Amino acid sequence: MSNFFTSNSMIMLERAANFQWVKQRAILDNISNADTPNYKAKYVTFEEALRASITQAAAMGGTGDIRETLRTSVPVVHTAWDESARMDENGVNVAEQSIEMVRNSYQVQHVYRAINSDMSRILMAIRGQ
């Protein structure tokens, strides 16, 4: 039996919030190491790994496998080894990272609004409104 807190949408919102947190941490690491020689920028992906996991789970059959795939999906942190922004081989472009940080904060707000909306509906149902 499934309930709201273990629904696919709530699991996806939880995973999206986790992804945004990992992405924010990588961006902040990049900005804080902007003056470190030989530091290479990090970036985070989630969609590709999730898509591959869902495709693999679907091939095995059953929605339980897909739900478990959603629950266990994690963001992947990559290092851009081939990028250098300066002569000291530092790969961080601070302007680009700052823009990405603002973009990520909007995405975080969107995820939290979605969670808040779902929780508000539950609260209304509990109150009988």
Side-chain angles (χ1 to χ4, degrees):
M1 181 175 182
S2 177
N3 65 31
F4 173 77
F5 296 108
T6 60
S7 68
N8 288 348
S9 64
M10 195 52 128
I11 293 169
M12 280 305 299
L13 287 171
E14 176 191 348
R15 301 318 310 155
N18 182 48
F19 164 67
Q20 297 302 332
W21 174 252
V22 172
K23 186 176 178 183
Q24 187 75 8
R25 238 181 28 212
I27 293 168
L28 292 174
D29 282 349
N30 290 342
I31 291 172
S32 66
N33 285 295
D35 292 328
T36 304
N38 296 320
Y39 180 83
K40 300 300 179 188
K42 297 182 219 170
Y43 64 98
V44 181
T45 60
F46 181 63
E47 295 87 357
E48 296 86 9
L50 179 63
R51 185 177 303 116
S53 296
I54 289 174
T55 302
Q56 182 180 8
M60 294 176 154
T63 57
D65 295 332
I66 291 176
R67 182 168 290 195
E68 188 60 28
T69 298
L70 291 176
R71 219 177 257 118
T72 59
S73 295
V74 294
V76 180
V77 180
H78 302 278
T79 303
W81 295 108
D82 58 345
E83 294 180 15
S84 292
R86 301 188 320 234
M87 289 180 62
D88 67 355
E89 296 298 316
N90 184 294
V92 177
N93 180 334
V94 175
E96 181 182 292
Q97 293 298 312
S98 298
I99 291 168
E100 195 61 31
M101 185 170 55
V102 170
R103 181 174 172 248
N104 193 57
S105 67
Y106 281 120
Q107 291 172 336
V108 166
Q109 288 177 5
H110 177 71
V111 169
Y112 288 160
R113 281 188 193 131
I115 292 170
N116 188 33
S117 173
D118 286 351
M119 293 298 169
S120 294
R121 279 186 289 211
I122 287 178
L123 188 58
M124 282 184 3
I126 289 171
R127 291 181 179 159
Q129 297 175 343

